[in-house]
Amino acid sequence: MTEPDWLDDHERAAWVRLAAILELLPGVLDSQLRRESGLTHFDYYALAMLSESPERTLRMTALAAQTHATLPRLSHVVKRLEDRGLVTRFPCPEDARATNVRLSEEGWRTVRAAAPGHVATVRHHVVDVLTPEQVDQLTAIGSALLARLDPEGAMAEVYRRYDP
């Protein structure tokens, strides 16, 4: 058995910080959205993806791909959002086997009302603590990691949408 290629002190320092961010940031985003909008971060993300889609509508499979969710998880979340009147589900006109989900007017109002607080939280905890150069570095680091984590580009539409 070969010895693992252990992280050196420099690499371990970077990894431990990234791991801490991955653990802490989702809770910060979720707490703010729950407190101010009654949404989870995933609820908000799904609503935001719909809000940016043509006619605020996507096939469930496309929404699952954009949110990187399994269909069962997404179906559960969409059912909850549907019960709140934020989305509607209906058969896809092009493929009767598929289901579309559309952001309702109430869903549109909800995501628009939630967006300022969400952006303020992202600014406070991420963007405003970085210099403009560090924001550029974070973009480059994110691109490098995504190239490895998503080599087929399954989520490419989501992250390329914001490239300058």
Side-chain angles (χ1 to χ4, degrees):
M1 188 166 142
T2 62
E3 184 69 16
D5 186 14
W6 297 110
L7 301 177
D8 64 28
D9 290 344
H10 183 74
E11 294 165 333
R12 190 170 41 258
W15 168 246
V16 167
R17 282 160 178 78
L18 177 59
I21 292 164
L22 293 172
E23 288 298 319
L24 295 170
L25 189 57
V28 167
L29 297 173
D30 210 50
S31 293
Q32 176 272 323
L33 284 163
R34 283 180 188 271
R35 183 176 60 254
E36 294 180 16
S37 305
L39 298 170
T40 67
H41 184 253
F42 187 79
D43 293 343
Y44 175 81
Y45 190 40
L47 294 174
M49 292 299 100
L50 289 169
S51 76
E52 296 177 359
S53 299
E55 299 180 34
R56 300 182 191 146
T57 303
L58 285 170
R59 282 189 187 184
M60 287 284 287
T61 52
L63 184 57
Q66 286 192 14
T67 58
H68 201 64
T70 63
L71 278 173
R73 177 185 185 202
L74 183 63
S75 185
H76 174 74
V77 169
V78 167
K79 172 72 171 116
R80 220 173 354 111
L81 295 173
E82 190 175 39
D83 289 346
R84 291 180 57 186
L86 304 180
V87 299
T88 56
R89 283 190 280 194
F90 59 96
C92 176
E94 295 85 31
D95 182 354
R97 299 169 296 167
T99 300
N100 285 356
V101 59
R102 176 178 294 136
L103 190 64
S104 69
E105 284 304 315
E106 182 62 25
W108 173 241
R109 285 190 292 276
T110 298
V111 75
R112 286 187 50 175
H118 177 65
V119 170
T121 300
V122 169
R123 278 201 163 283
H124 177 76
H125 291 282
V126 179
V127 177
D128 291 346
V129 298
L130 302 175
T131 66
E133 294 78 21
Q134 288 172 322
V135 171
D136 290 342
Q137 291 168 349
L138 183 58
T139 300
I141 291 165
S143 293
L145 293 173
L146 286 167
R148 179 63 57 96
L149 293 168
D150 186 22
E152 271 86 55
M155 289 191 63
E157 178 59 30
V158 175
Y159 55 81
R160 286 192 187 134
R161 171 178 29 238
Y162 302 104
D163 282 348

